[in-house]
Amino acid sequence: MSTMHLDIVSAEEEIFSGTVKNLSAAAIMGEVGIFPKHTPMITPLKPGEIKVTTENDEEMLFFISGGVLEVQPEVVTVLADTAIRGEDLDEAKAAEAKKRAEEALADKSDNIDAAKALAELAQAAAQLKMIETLRKKSK
Amino acid sequence: MSGGKEIKGQISSIKNTQKITKAMEMVAASKMKKAQMRMAAARPYAKMIKNVVGHLASAHQEYRHPFLVKRESVKRVGLIIISTDRGLCGGLNTNLFKEVLKKVNDWNNQSIEVDVCAIGSKAEKFFKRLNVNLVAQVSHLGDSPEINDVIGSIKIMLDNFTDGNIDELHLAENKFINTMSQEPGIIHLLPTEPNKEDEFSHHWDYIYEPDSKSVIDNLLVRYIESLVYQGIVENVACEMSARMVAMKSASDNASNLIDELQLIYNKARQASITQELSEIVAGAAAV
């Protein structure tokens, strides 16, 4: 039986690297099973488990909180997210980073260009709002 | 014996400082090892995602993501600057900021405005004083930064790019070469030109699920995030090794200073004894 190379990596560490016979993962459109010589495919993954059969017929399970699956005939790569992602969550994080910038500017003693930067920030806030409403409409 | 007491005082205060620098050196040395391991652990992801994006660039034909399209005129650029949170790490931050200032001046001369995203409190403090727009800021990531903490800041920059507020995005970071040397540099993030691989000369394409647009959007955002994250992890390793080296030279300087002061003290002591003796001898002769 033929085999393929599998790498599961997250931004913070390498999780698995080795030769496997097959794997199944929770792709965004549903469960997928990948065997060697699969046609090239790329798809986001849902939070869930990845089931791997290694070349020694051992079963291994990995839990990932989302990511991307890339399939090449001989090589499969899973780019796992360590962070819990989602449009809304990312939005919240963006808002937080902006708030910090605001605070940083607030404790500045001579604020000639702070005013300018604040105007810039207000603009950015408006944009963020617009993105949100657009998203709501499209939902 | 003139100034003997003052010199003693100086010596003991330098000794105290030396104790602190020694301790900081040892702490930095042990943290450096961990930071270097973390840096090595983050490398496979960066390599893999680079591969995948490279495949994508050589595969894809019909959909061009805005991140891949070069803009004709550049009016405003975004700059992400990675610095440390704490000082006492030699010229690490200063060298980087010098490099950044040079670049910012270049841009200003071409009347290009700059939006700054500061990572680390040193960058925040430095760029608050300058004529740049600080649009996002994140600091106190600690010694083991998580990608979770920087997604927000990066998203602001990426959104600005997508909305056309900025036409280019750059990243200023320290490259870790080895323990003794770190090199500041500015790399170009967006629009990105992934390395095309030549091994796939025939026309081919992926199966995209659910569709190519969402997959590529998703992937490119992660690609940029991973580059920035890699920069942050590398910066921690740079910080620790720079601090270790700086503290080591501070400790060495302190012991040199102590030696010199000790010599001065001994000379002063000897001079005062000689003087006393000669006074006694002179006194005895007079009698």
Side-chain angles (χ1 to χ4, degrees):
Chain A
M1 193 176 170
S2 61
T3 55
M4 58 188 169
H5 187 78
L6 170 69
D7 286 300
I8 304 180
V9 289
S10 80
E12 279 145 36
E13 61 184 340
E14 184 169 52
I15 298 168
F16 175 84
S17 175
T19 315
V20 300
K21 281 181 177 163
N22 65 60
L23 74 131
S24 68
I28 208 112
M29 305 285 280
E31 187 96 356
V32 290
I34 310 286
F35 281 82
K37 308 266 190 300
H38 195 287
T39 181
M41 181 180 90
I42 191 161
T43 178
L45 293 174
K46 282 194 296 196
E49 55 189 29
I50 299 177
K51 207 190 276 174
V52 175
T53 313
T54 64
E55 51 183 341
N56 308 323
D57 283 320
E58 276 174 71
E59 292 242 320
M60 290 176 98
L61 276 180
F62 299 96
F63 184 83
I64 59 164
S65 54
V68 179
L69 172 75
E70 192 228 5
V71 182
Q72 294 279 346
E74 309 292 335
V75 184
V76 177
T77 310
V78 178
L79 302 165
D81 290 338
T82 41
I84 298 163
R85 305 293 296 256
E87 286 293 332
D88 304 342
L89 278 175
D90 285 6
E91 207 75 33
K93 280 175 197 141
E96 206 180 298
K98 206 152 57 60
K99 209 178 118 215
R100 277 194 301 266
E102 266 162 34
E103 279 165 8
L105 287 170
D107 60 45
K108 177 168 174 162
S109 38
D110 74 54
N111 18 358
I112 300 163
D113 26 36
K116 203 169 141 197
L118 272 179
E120 197 74 26
L121 272 173
Q123 204 185 356
Q127 272 155 11
L128 213 63
K129 216 169 178 181
M130 195 187 72
I131 298 168
E132 265 167 338
T133 42
L134 280 177
R135 225 169 245 152
K136 266 179 204 150
K137 265 184 202 161
S138 66
K139 262 174 196 168
Chain B
M1 179 180 154
S2 66
K5 198 146 189 256
E6 282 86 352
I7 297 173
K8 266 260 145 104
Q10 260 179 337
I11 290 177
S12 77
S13 85
I14 291 171
K15 268 188 182 152
N16 282 338
T17 312
Q18 195 188 22
K19 268 180 211 157
I20 296 170
T21 57
K22 262 255 162 63
M24 283 185 74
E25 181 196 334
M26 284 187 284
V27 170
S30 79
K31 278 187 179 170
M32 183 189 73
K33 258 179 213 144
K34 273 187 216 146
Q36 284 184 8
M37 264 153 62
R38 216 170 286 119
M39 186 176 72
R43 251 178 207 149
Y45 185 87
K47 201 180 119 209
M48 288 298 164
I49 198 158
K50 203 171 180 189
N51 274 351
V52 174
V53 172
H55 289 168
L56 214 55
S58 62
H60 204 74
Q61 308 292 333
E62 75 253 32
Y63 170 64
R64 294 285 285 170
H65 191 276
F67 286 0
L68 303 171
V69 180
K70 209 168 172 188
R71 310 235 171 121
E72 275 167 21
S73 68
V74 179
K75 291 201 189 71
R76 184 178 270 275
V77 295
L79 181 61
I80 301 178
I81 296 151
I82 302 174
S83 75
T84 65
D85 279 333
R86 279 167 294 174
L88 290 181
C89 49
L92 188 70
N93 289 323
T94 328
N95 290 343
L96 181 70
F97 294 160
K98 246 187 239 160
E99 198 80 5
V100 170
L101 278 184
K102 224 192 284 162
K103 193 84 182 178
V104 168
N105 276 339
D106 267 7
W107 279 324
N108 281 342
N109 289 341
Q110 296 167 42
S111 60
I112 296 171
E113 287 179 81
V114 186
D115 277 356
V116 168
C117 163
I119 299 177
S121 53
K122 288 286 163 194
E124 173 215 320
K125 280 181 195 133
F126 186 77
F127 287 96
K128 232 160 52 179
R129 291 187 277 128
L130 289 177
N131 188 22
V132 291
N133 297 311
L134 192 62
V135 292
Q137 193 257 318
V138 59
S139 59
H140 302 289
L141 296 173
D143 295 334
S144 49
E146 283 172 15
I147 199 158
N148 214 348
D149 303 325
V150 289
I151 290 173
S153 310
I154 300 170
K155 186 176 166 58
I156 290 180
M157 296 316 260
L158 294 182
D159 281 353
N160 275 341
F161 185 83
T162 326
D163 296 347
N165 289 335
I166 56 173
D167 302 307
E168 273 178 10
L169 183 59
H170 298 257
L171 173 70
E173 56 163 11
N174 283 301
K175 276 257 161 270
F176 183 89
I177 297 166
N178 55 41
T179 311
M180 298 303 289
S181 65
Q182 298 86 30
E183 201 183 316
I186 297 176
I187 59 171
H188 189 113
L189 287 184
L190 288 179
T192 178
E193 199 53 60
N195 302 336
K196 294 200 175 191
E197 301 201 1
D198 344 288
E199 46 182 306
F200 304 104
S201 47
H202 58 287
H203 180 84
W204 66 284
D205 204 351
Y206 285 111
I207 303 172
Y208 297 94
E209 277 188 19
D211 59 86
S212 57
K213 189 174 176 302
S214 65
V215 171
I216 294 172
D217 287 0
N218 198 319
L219 198 67
L220 285 175
V221 170
R222 274 171 181 64
Y223 175 59
I224 302 299
E225 280 170 6
S226 94
L227 285 178
V228 176
Y229 179 74
Q230 182 76 25
I232 293 172
V233 180
E234 206 163 320
N235 191 59
V236 175
C238 287
E239 178 189 352
M240 292 310 163
S241 35
R243 177 167 300 133
M244 192 186 80
V245 173
M247 286 302 119
K248 190 171 164 38
S249 72
S251 308
D252 292 350
N253 288 345
S255 46
N256 285 345
L257 212 55
I258 290 172
D259 286 351
E260 270 169 39
L261 285 174
Q262 192 72 48
L263 203 64
I264 295 172
Y265 174 76
N266 289 347
K267 270 187 188 155
R269 187 174 142 268
Q270 205 171 12
S272 80
I273 292 171
T274 314
Q275 200 189 340
E276 242 172 74
L277 268 178
S278 64
E279 272 165 20
I280 292 169
V281 171
V287 172

